[in-house]
């Protein structure tokens, strides 16, 4: 696991360094060799960066920013907008863009989310720097071509990826599962049956978080993926699935049934609180992405996680694909986007 984290950090640093080079040079005027020219204006000594890694994730972004500044000499004014998965950050960023004062760079998810920025931004695609050349310069087109493809919009790159997450996972407290005499659910029917058993025992089945909203929506997405399959999921994300498709209603009905198994305090929980309650055995399971692995690994080192295919006697948290989505890797990719004209000169 440490090797995986190290690779992710290295990738993040390479991408951020490339963005730094780009930001440091894009505002410098071209010099000619045929006649004397004034000294070129210095690159930015300070940039603004908007992120939603405001909670425990701040340690990761602070480490990246520290290395970025050490390598480039550019100071970063980090503006962290709380709210898991950027549910609040995107509105703050769009407001700045519409006011004509965008940040130098900001965190965004690749794919449909970046497309939503383009649709709403004042100048559409022109509101963002196309980053294909940066991807080539750092060899990402060769080393991560499939990831770039997932981030591409009509063959263009407006958000450069820094990591890869798997979204369709369920984290199960092994001791609670054993107490219920249950097994890891493989289908939605299995999950519904297990949740009925938990509810009958007075145990919250799904520890989802309402304070930052995203894990509630995240659960619906995974239910929809299980019901409709990958193709319709992609169509839904890009807005091309007909609104009357029956899979939407079916997924929503299952989601509403599962929502009845949330703990009574779910509106006050954020995702880190939900994970804390899972670790403490206050409920059976939590549906989320593999960023939960990093949280448990770093904050609860005494807790042992294990894959559903190899449950050991000392395992505390079982990690499994969300029921009905086995064989599917539902991508969530954090990335960096760069609006033109967002530089702060010092």
């Amino acid at each position: 696991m440490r090797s995986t984290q190290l690779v992710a950090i290295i990738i993040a640093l390479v991408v951020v360094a490339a963005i730094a080079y780009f930001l440091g040079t894009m505002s410098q005027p071209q010099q000619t060799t045929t006649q004397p020219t004034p000294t070129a204006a210095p690159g930015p000594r300070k940039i603004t960066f908007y992120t939603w890694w405001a909670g425990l994730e701040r340690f990761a972004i602070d480490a990246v920013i520290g290395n970025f500044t050490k390598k480039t000499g550019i100071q970063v004014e980090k503006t962290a907008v709380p709210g898991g998965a950027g549910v609040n950050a995107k509105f703050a960023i769009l407001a700045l863009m519409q006011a004509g004062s965008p940040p130098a760079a900001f965190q965004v998810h690749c794919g449909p989310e970046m497309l939503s920025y383009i649709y709403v931004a004042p100048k559409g695609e022109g509101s963002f720097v196309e980053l294909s050349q940066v991807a080539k310069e750092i060899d990402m087109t060769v080393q991560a071509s499939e990831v770039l493809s997932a981030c591409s919009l009509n063959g263009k790159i407006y958000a450069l990826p820094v990591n890869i997450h798997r979204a369709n996972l369920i984290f199960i407290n092994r001791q609670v599962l054993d107490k219920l005499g249950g097994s890891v659910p493989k289908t939605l029917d299995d999950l519904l049956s297990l949740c009925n058993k938990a509810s009958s025992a007075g145990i919250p089945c799904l520890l989802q978080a309402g304070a930052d909203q995203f894990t509630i929506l995240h659960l619906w997405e995974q239910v929809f993926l299980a019901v409709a399959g990958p193709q319709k999921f992609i169509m839904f994300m890009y807005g091309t699935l007909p609104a009357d498709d029956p899979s939407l209603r079916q997924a929503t009905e299952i989601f509403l049934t599962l929502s009845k198994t949330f703990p009574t305090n779910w509106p006050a929980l954020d995702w880190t609180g939900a994970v804390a309650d899972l670790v403490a055995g206050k409920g059976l399971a939590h549906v989320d992405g593999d960023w939960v692995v990093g949280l448990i690994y770093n904050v609860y080192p005494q807790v042992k996680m294990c894959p559903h295919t190899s449950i050991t006697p000392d395992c505390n948290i079982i990690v499994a694909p969300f029921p009905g989505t086995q064989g599917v890797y539902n991508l969530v990719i954090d990335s960096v986007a760069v609006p033109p004209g967002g530089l702060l000169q010092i």
Side-chain angles (χ1 to χ4, degrees), residues 13-246:
L13 290 175
V14 169
V15 171
V16 171
I19 293 292
Y21 171 80
F22 176 78
L23 290 172
T25 59
M26 66 181 290
S27 63
Q28 297 182 15
Q30 295 293 322
Q31 296 187 3
T32 66
T33 57
T34 58
Q35 61 181 11
T37 57
T39 302
R45 294 296 89 200
K46 182 179 181 181
I47 63 171
T48 55
F49 179 73
Y50 267 64
T51 175
W52 59 80
W53 287 351
L56 293 171
E57 313 101 317
R58 70 184 183 278
F59 299 113
I61 193 63
D62 286 348
V64 172
I65 287 174
N67 281 282
F68 171 87
T69 298
K70 183 178 180 180
K71 184 177 181 65
T72 66
I74 299 173
Q75 298 295 318
V76 177
E77 184 179 275
K78 181 187 70 173
T79 299
V81 183
V87 292
N88 299 320
K90 68 164 52 181
F91 298 108
I93 294 164
L94 283 170
L96 288 171
M97 294 182 68
Q98 290 170 337
S101 56
F106 63 91
Q107 181 182 0
V108 62
H109 290 128
C110 277
E113 184 174 308
M114 186 62 212
L115 188 60
S116 70
Y117 275 96
I118 290 174
Y119 280 150
V120 179
K123 298 180 181 179
E125 293 182 28
S127 295
F128 304 95
V129 175
E130 209 279 323
L131 299 170
S132 295
Q133 185 58 38
V134 178
K136 290 179 182 178
E137 290 173 0
I138 63 174
D139 208 28
M140 187 173 283
T141 51
V142 175
Q143 297 187 24
S145 59
E146 293 183 354
V147 179
L148 276 181
S149 178
C151 291
S152 297
L153 300 171
N154 294 326
K156 298 180 179 180
I157 304 293
Y158 294 104
L160 211 57
V162 299
N163 61 26
I164 306 171
H165 287 298
R166 186 181 187 183
N168 55 313
L169 295 176
I170 185 168
F171 298 82
I172 303 170
N173 185 293
R174 194 274 183 83
Q175 285 69 38
V176 176
L177 182 66
D178 288 349
K179 180 179 179 180
L180 294 172
S183 58
V184 176
K186 296 181 179 179
T187 67
L188 284 174
D189 285 342
D190 290 345
L191 179 60
L192 289 166
S193 177
L194 186 59
C195 282
N196 282 335
K197 185 177 291 188
S199 295
S200 297
I203 298 171
C205 181
L206 296 183
L207 295 166
Q208 300 305 109
D212 51 14
Q213 303 175 35
F214 91 91
T215 69
I216 304 297
L217 301 174
H218 189 90
L219 172 61
W220 184 91
E221 288 180 0
Q222 307 322 310
V223 172
F224 179 71
L225 177 60
V227 168
Q231 187 58 43
K232 284 190 176 182
F233 184 88
I234 292 171
M235 292 173 66
F236 173 78
M237 286 295 174
Y238 281 95
T240 60
L241 184 70
D244 60 353
D245 190 280

Side-chain angles (χ1 to χ4, degrees), residues 247-261:
S247 60
L248 292 167
R249 183 181 183 89
Q250 183 182 354
T252 301
E253 289 174 347
I254 294 172
F255 165 80
L256 291 174
T257 298
L258 291 172
S259 71
K260 296 174 182 177
T261 73

